[in-house]
Amino acid sequence: NAGVMQNPRHLVRRRGQEARLRCSPMKGHSHVYWYRQLPEEGLKFMVYLQKENIIDESGMPKERFSAEFPKEGPSILRIQQVVRGDSAAYFCASSPPLSYNSPLHFGNGTRLTVT
Amino acid sequence: GNSVTQMEGPVTLSEEAFLTINCTYTATGYPSLFWYVQYPGEGLQLLLKATKADDKGSNKGFEATYRKETTSFHLEKGSVQVSDSAVYFCALSGASGGYQKVTFGIGTKLQVIP
């Protein structure tokens, strides 16, 4: 039973380019969460999605950032026109439905570097 | 809203020392509480959890007890090893807006030296 898969592990983009981060949740999990981790800082919630729906995007910047979780395929976190401040580790987590007491299962993250 | 406060690190201990990492929380209702561990270059892994008051979660020699009266969930280990060096996150999961919302503490970096 494969865990949460994120790719790429490392992504380098120049300022102004687009970054696409992918996350395939664990089998049977229909809830996906994205977090950002800056060096020496904690995890910051960005967005929570269920299949084809954004449930909570309160942690996502209003501009340049978007997320989707289509009916088929992985969840995508998209950052347009990247800036140096976007450099961070981005983690995806998944959980099964109606999972009030269930832990989140995390991927190994995508480390984005903006040059 | 829900919040988690944990002691800031880094914490440096000698091998076989006793470990305590403090964690307190603020939440409405009856949240579940978790400790996650993050090894260098990896994502977070669940270390242990407790879902109701007075429950004790334990794993790999680590323990934490859900204390509702003090709203705490302190992580302890009797004898740490070098391999325990990692960042530890306290978290709570509670109902918010009709769905599960997980709130993390800032993380505490533990370094164990031989």
Side-chain angles (χ1 to χ4, degrees), chain B residues 55-87:
Chain B
D55 267 3
K56 178 187 282 188
S58 61
N59 185 25
K60 300 180 183 178
F62 291 89
E63 293 182 341
T65 300
Y66 188 149
R67 300 283 187 204
K68 192 164 176 63
E69 63 276 10
T70 54
T71 62
S72 65
F73 193 54
H74 305 321
L75 182 68
E76 296 182 336
K77 185 174 186 182
S79 176
V80 293
Q81 305 301 313
V82 172
S83 58
D84 293 327
S85 298
V87 181

Side-chain angles (χ1 to χ4, degrees), chain B residues 5 7-8 10-11 21 30 40 42 46 53-54 62 66 69 75 78 86 97 107:
Chain B
T5 302
M7 59 189 290
E8 292 196 29
V11 174
I21 300 178
Y30 302 94
E42 298 183 10
L46 177 68
D54 300 324
F62 291 89
Y66 188 149
E69 63 276 10
L75 182 68

Side-chain angles (χ1 to χ4, degrees), chain A residues 9 31 33 35 37 40-43 45 48 50 55-56 58 91 95-96 99-109 111, chain B residues 29-32 34 36 38 40-46 49 51 89 93-95 99-107 109:
Chain A
R9 284 297 303 272
H31 298 206
Y33 310 77
Y35 291 84
Q37 185 177 39
E40 306 305 319
E41 292 189 20
L43 282 171
F45 167 79
Y48 163 47
Q50 294 179 17
I55 306 302
D56 182 352
S58 59
F91 290 95
S95 70
S99 53
Y100 182 84
N101 291 328
S102 296
L104 299 180
H105 296 260
F106 281 83
N108 281 334
R111 280 147 187 85
Chain B
Y30 302 94
S32 295
F34 305 85
Y36 287 83
Q38 184 182 30
E42 298 183 10
L44 278 69
Q45 304 172 26
L46 177 68
K49 71 175 186 179
T51 57
F89 291 89
S93 173
Y99 67 90
Q100 173 201 28
K101 187 157 187 172
V102 181
T103 304
F104 286 89
I106 195 169
K109 185 174 183 178

Side-chain angles (χ1 to χ4, degrees), chain A residues 1 4 8-9 24 32 49 55 62 65 75 78 87 94 97 109:
Chain A
N1 189 16
V4 177
R9 284 297 303 272
S24 295
V32 165
L49 309 103
I55 306 302
K62 295 286 186 286
F65 285 73
S75 175
R78 183 179 176 210
S87 296
S94 72

